[in-house]
């Protein structure tokens, strides 16, 4: 990637990160870190491992698109993965920052079409695993917890929504999604003129990307299954972060409760995808999910604070990695 574009991504992300830091209460942050102690360090290390699994899923997709071979070094991809997520965290609407960065970083190595298709496929796989996680969380909740009428209706709606989205994603895997997405964009206000011009001038490239996505689905299903399983494993391992933090408050921590808290919070926060770092939505999700499982609102607020600090630290690391030479 050209140094000019690296600087643009770095400055853009840094400005948004600094704005987010101004929203924190320093005294509250210091008190939270003192209370969390070494468990905060455990959460930081955990996410270093989770990013390795994310990178592995993307690495499998890239290799599959090149007959199982790749000249790309895993640790370089690990760096790009962390930076991509950092830009996603700081960018309103989530995927508007990290994905273009990943495509531009990868294009000089494997070409723009293959770079675009691998990034789109990985983004699809990442989101696809979320719906599987939410659906499995519903099943686990029904198996482990008493369910009243209201809860049953809510869980049934969540399960139906997840199944519908999983079906739509499977259709996207089979037939490609790049051209379909651009056709949707051409009907949206403000960007429809740009989208129409882009389709006209890049129709061949979009068709090539969709062909590569469909070919990978039909020829390398084992790769896609492995990538989805790696991403799904990330979701469940992510629950250990909440487990570590709650150990500070009470020794009687149930890991299954942590799975439910993460499932509800991530679903609630993703409904507010237009907010950088899902500000406010993440905190509200933690408080409500903790309360629904019999924990105090204070416990939910404490978990939200520590998770927010961990996100900011890894976001800062990701932005710094943008400046490291390839």
């Amino acid at each position: 990637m050209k140094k000019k574009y690296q600087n643009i991504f770095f400055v853009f992300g840094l400005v948004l990160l600094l704005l987010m830091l101004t929203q924190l209460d320093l005294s509250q942050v210091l008190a939270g870190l003192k209370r969390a102690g070494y468990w905060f360090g455990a959460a930081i290390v955990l996410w270093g491992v989770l990013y390795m699994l994310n990178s592995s899923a993307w690495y499998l997709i890239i290799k599959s698109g090149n007959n199982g071979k790749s000249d790309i070094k895993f640790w370089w991809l690990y760096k790009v993965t962390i930076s991509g997520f950092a830009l996603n965290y700081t960018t309103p609407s989530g995927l508007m920052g990290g994905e273009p960065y990943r495509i531009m970083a990868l294009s000089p190595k494997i070409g723009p079409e293959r770079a675009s298709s691998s990034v789109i496929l990985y983004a699809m796989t990442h989101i696809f695993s979320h719906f599987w996680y939410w659906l499995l969380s519903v099943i686990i909740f029904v198996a482990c917890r008493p369910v009243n009428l209201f809860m049953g209706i809510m869980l049934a709606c969540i399960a139906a929504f997840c199944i519908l989205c999983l079906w739509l994603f499977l259709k996207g895997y089979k037939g490609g999604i790049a051209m379909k997405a651009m056709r949707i964009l051409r009907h949206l206000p403000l960007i429809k003129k740009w989208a129409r011009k882009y389709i006209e001038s890049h129709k061949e490239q979009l068709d090539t990307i969709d062909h590569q996505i469909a070919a990978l689905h039909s020829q390398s299903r084992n790769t896609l299954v492995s990538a989805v399983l790696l991403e799904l494993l990330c979701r469940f391992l992510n629950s250990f972060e909440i487990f570590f933090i709650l150990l500070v408050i009470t020794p009687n921590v149930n890991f299954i409760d942590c799975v439910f808290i993460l499932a509800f919070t991530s679903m609630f926060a993703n409904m507010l995808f237009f907010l950088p770092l899902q500000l406010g939505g993440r905190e509200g999700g933690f408080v409500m999910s903790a309360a629904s499982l019999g924990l105090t609102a204070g416990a939910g607020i404490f978990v939200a604070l520590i998770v927010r600090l961990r996100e900011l630290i890894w976001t800062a690391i990701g932005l710094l990695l943008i400046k490291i030479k390839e």
Side-chain angles (χ1 to χ4, degrees):
M1 184 190 296
K2 293 182 179 179
K3 190 173 182 179
K4 177 180 71 173
Y5 297 121
Q6 283 184 328
N7 291 334
I8 290 173
F9 280 115
F10 174 75
V11 172
F12 178 72
L14 184 61
V15 169
L16 287 174
L17 178 63
L18 292 175
L19 287 175
M20 292 170 194
L21 288 173
T22 62
Q23 305 301 311
L24 295 175
D25 184 328
L26 183 59
S27 60
Q28 188 182 33
V29 168
L30 293 175
L33 288 174
K34 184 178 180 180
R35 187 180 183 186
Y38 58 82
W39 287 116
F40 180 69
I44 297 293
V45 172
L46 173 66
W47 271 87
V49 176
L50 296 183
Y51 284 133
M52 288 182 65
L53 294 177
N54 293 141
S55 303
S56 298
W58 189 18
Y59 191 66
L60 284 176
I61 290 172
I62 293 171
K63 285 181 63 178
S64 182
N66 192 35
N67 297 319
K69 300 178 182 179
S70 177
D71 296 328
I72 297 171
K73 295 180 180 179
F74 176 81
W75 293 112
W76 176 84
L77 199 69
Y78 182 62
K79 176 185 85 74
V80 174
T81 298
I82 296 172
S83 297
F85 277 116
L87 290 168
N88 281 346
Y89 285 141
T90 58
T91 307
S93 300
L95 300 179
M96 290 176 62
E99 301 346 286
Y101 168 77
R102 289 172 180 170
I103 291 172
M104 293 177 70
L106 196 56
S107 290
K109 297 180 179 295
I110 61 175
E113 285 82 11
R114 278 189 58 211
S116 298
S117 61
S118 73
V119 170
I120 292 171
L121 265 172
Y122 174 70
M124 290 172 64
T125 301
H126 183 71
I127 299 170
F128 190 61
S129 69
H130 273 81
F131 289 113
W132 273 114
Y133 178 69
W134 296 332
L135 181 60
L136 290 174
S137 297
V138 169
I139 296 172
I140 295 171
F141 190 94
V142 172
C144 299
R145 295 287 187 273
V147 178
N148 56 30
L149 179 61
F150 173 77
M151 183 63 73
I153 293 173
M154 185 174 72
L155 292 175
C157 291
I158 293 173
F161 172 72
C162 290
I163 291 171
L164 174 63
C165 290
L166 290 171
W167 176 74
L168 291 173
F169 266 86
L170 287 173
K171 287 182 68 68
Y173 277 124
K174 291 179 181 178
I177 200 171
M179 181 62 79
K180 293 175 183 177
M182 292 304 302
R183 285 172 178 166
I184 293 173
L185 292 179
R186 72 180 181 182
H187 296 292
L188 298 180
L190 301 179
I191 61 171
K192 57 184 180 182
K193 290 184 178 180
W194 169 84
R196 288 170 183 169
K197 291 181 180 179
Y198 189 90
I199 291 174
E200 291 175 2
S201 58
H202 295 82
K203 186 179 183 304
E204 185 176 346
Q205 291 94 324
L206 290 170
D207 288 338
T208 299
I209 291 169
D210 278 341
H211 175 73
Q212 290 175 354
I213 291 173
L216 180 58
H217 175 268
S218 61
Q219 298 171 10
S220 306
R221 294 188 182 183
N222 289 338
T223 295
L224 285 177
V225 171
S226 298
V228 171
L229 289 176
L230 282 170
E231 287 291 316
L232 187 58
L233 177 62
C234 278
R235 306 285 82 73
F236 281 98
L237 291 180
N238 190 0
S239 303
F240 275 105
E241 178 178 35
I242 300 172
F243 184 81
F244 295 157
I245 298 169
L246 288 179
L247 279 175
V248 178
I249 301 172
T250 173
N252 301 317
V253 182
N254 188 321
F255 179 73
I256 296 298
D257 285 345
C258 298
V259 171
F260 297 149
I261 290 173
L262 179 62
F264 178 83
T265 302
S266 61
M267 177 173 281
F268 185 78
N270 276 283
M271 293 178 184
L272 304 175
F273 64 90
F274 51 86
L275 295 175
L277 267 175
Q278 297 157 335
L279 291 174
R282 184 69 61 83
E283 285 76 5
F286 275 122
V287 171
M288 287 188 289
S289 58
S292 67
L293 293 169
L295 301 172
T296 64
I301 293 171
F302 178 66
V303 172
L305 172 65
I306 300 303
V307 170
R308 180 67 65 205
L309 292 176
R310 183 270 303 161
E311 287 177 334
L312 290 171
I313 287 176
W314 271 109
T315 298
I317 293 172
L319 294 176
L320 290 174
L321 288 176
I322 292 176
K323 299 294 291 179
I324 293 179
K325 293 182 180 180
E326 300 178 9

